[in-house]
Amino acid sequence: RGVCMDIIAHNTIMDSLIDQQRLPEAFDKYFYLKKNQEKLNVRFDYYTFTSLLKGIRLTPGLNDSWLDKAFYSSKWRDTLDIKCLIC
């Protein structure tokens, strides 16, 4: 109640979801944060993206098209996000 979570707390939740093999929920959390970034006053960091990439790598049956959909789809494209992946 009234306590604002920082990016570390959000990343911890996403990482926990990934460790529990709940990748769709982790991406839902990421997309929610992305949509409400200014309101929640959060800024993504490298840990955010490496956690998501770890989840993709550890999830059986996913292929490169899923990675493209997750990070490069026109609906969610954001050059800052893509730059952070490349840095």
Side-chain angles (χ1 to χ4, degrees):
R1 297 185 210 186
V3 177
C4 296
M5 293 173 40
D6 62 4
I7 194 60
I8 295 169
H10 289 292
N11 285 343
T12 302
I13 291 170
M14 283 191 287
D15 203 40
S16 295
L17 291 168
I18 289 165
D19 287 344
Q20 296 172 27
Q21 300 177 347
R22 295 164 58 187
L23 186 63
E25 291 172 77
F27 265 94
D28 286 346
K29 176 80 171 162
Y30 166 72
F31 291 137
Y32 170 79
L33 290 173
K34 185 170 182 159
K35 182 179 178 182
N36 298 290
Q37 198 168 2
E38 287 185 29
K39 178 182 168 188
L40 297 171
N41 194 28
V42 295
R43 182 177 167 159
F44 298 122
D45 59 15
Y46 292 111
Y47 192 82
T48 307
F49 299 108
T50 56
S51 292
L52 294 172
L53 290 171
K54 177 182 88 171
I56 291 169
R57 182 179 56 85
L58 295 176
T59 303
L62 295 183
N63 57 28
D64 292 342
S65 65
W66 202 92
L67 180 65
D68 290 341
K69 177 182 174 186
F71 289 105
Y72 297 105
S73 71
S74 59
K75 183 176 180 183
W76 299 108
R77 180 173 291 151
D78 184 330
T79 54
L80 291 175
D81 289 354
I82 295 169
K83 274 187 188 175
C84 284
L85 284 172
I86 297 170
C87 294

